[in-house]
Amino acid sequence: MELPFAESWKIKMVEPIRKSTRAEREQWLAQAKNNVFMLRSEQVYIDLLTDSGTGAMSDRQWAALMMGDESYSGARSFFELKETIGRITGFKYVIPTHQGRAAENVLFSYLVKEGNVVPGNAHFDTTKGHIESRHAFAIDVTIPEAKDTQRELPFKGNVSLELLEKLLKDNSGNVPFMVLTVTNNTVGGQPVSMLNIRQTAELCHRYGVPVVMDSARFAENAYFIKTREEGYADKTIKEIAREMFSYVDCMTMSAKKDGLVNMGGFIATNREDWYEGCKLFCIPFEGFITYGGMNGRDMAALAIGLDENTEYDMLETRIHQVQYLAKKLDEYGIPYQRPAGGHAIFVDADKILVNVPKEEFPAQTLTCELYLEAGIRACEIGYILADRDPVTHQNRFGGLDFVRLCIPRRVYTDNHIDVIAAALKNVYDRRDNITRGLKITKEAPLMRHFTVELERL
Ligand code: F0G
């Protein structure tokens, strides 16, 4: 008999989690003004808010913490991290930062000027924020098929080369760089193919435009290239990652994802001029250039995390779990962005709560229902997160309205996944009775989803 699939690790330390009653959750959600960001973690049973900084470190990483060198400058831990990054990415200049958005802040402070246009295969919200706050324009050039949630494509995170070329032509001389995000979080953790990475970089370089890879989930992207793209089945994840980075000029990294640490990030490049430029902003914003916002011990743990997470078994275990959840949802007929992405399932709320009008935020309503059902905290990636149009001040209903079930690395077992799927099925089964959604009572002008207050209708 063929042996079933199982994790490539075993558990050495556990953290208790607590169930609650529906009455408790009703009260807590009302106190949180129907915004799950405002819940306390003790009020959550299974936390799928994000996979960022929420993973479990390995015994080797915990051991490395004890060996961290906390010297203000020239710390051994920095050079160990730099050596690992160099080996995995091929980049020789490294600037540590406290997380991914800090890397964006440092790099964009140097590169982005007012009025610039920065294309991307779909900018993450902090990336867009750092471009727009500098009065520049972040333009998505995603392939149009990515918006069709039921369409199965192996590389749904790809760049549309036609849209990109048109943008480069129309904005000649005004594009400081292009951002290529792997995997593409915004469209559902969807990967970008090696072919598309290479063609995107060639196209940009032909127009004299450098490419920055937003690499938060680069290892998951490499796993999809290995398992889906012709010619890569026999290559190691490390070989694939190295090739991915070889086409681009620079990377920004949120190490809280594929770096397997709770906090950290970095910029890496071979361009000496960019390194010199970034240093000037790293020192005042983050810290001296050999720690830039990270403890020595965190750099030591990150060096090991990067090595561990660029091994096939680790990635297979992780992505298998996301696909396991997808299979359960298929069994129950629950629609999501297909195929399953690397770090999360993006449930298509618009197709489920068909009786809740857009103006009443179906995905946020479904997020609340899932929490009330079983204490599961997901997150809305939809109309609330899309913010208002800066000119018309109208809500932006043009995009997709997702509930993201984001799976932390090495944290939950497949039994938890069964609970998540069953809870969502229970909500799904009573979807026709959910006819009213939510009304915003208080919101911030930008990135309102973090602090928004809502009232049930
Ligand atoms: N780029 C991508 C693709 C991301 O997904 C994130 C964070 C960042 C940059 C910013 O990194 O959080 O370390 O400052 N994404 C998290 C998420 C928050 O939940 O998807 P950060």
Side-chain angles (χ1 to χ4, degrees), residues 217-230:
R217 300 179 183 85
F218 76 95
E220 289 167 9
N221 200 89
Y223 172 88
F224 285 118
I225 289 176
K226 181 175 169 73
T227 52
R228 293 183 184 170
E229 191 162 349
E230 216 186 304

Side-chain angles (χ1 to χ4, degrees), residues 49-52 99-102 104 124 126-127 181 183 185 214 216-217 254 256-257 264 343 404:
L49 191 64
T50 179
D51 65 333
S52 181
Q99 61 185 88
R101 66 200 69 183
E104 291 161 4
F124 181 66
T126 60
T127 322
T181 305
T183 57
N185 186 3
D214 177 344
R217 300 179 183 85
S254 166
K256 302 168 72 170
K257 286 91 169 169
H343 66 296
R404 186 179 74 170

Side-chain angles (χ1 to χ4, degrees), residues 117-136:
V117 174
V118 182
N121 52 334
H123 296 274
F124 181 66
D125 54 4
T126 60
T127 322
K128 201 182 214 98
H130 276 303
I131 293 166
E132 290 179 347
S133 66
R134 290 173 171 83
H135 305 288

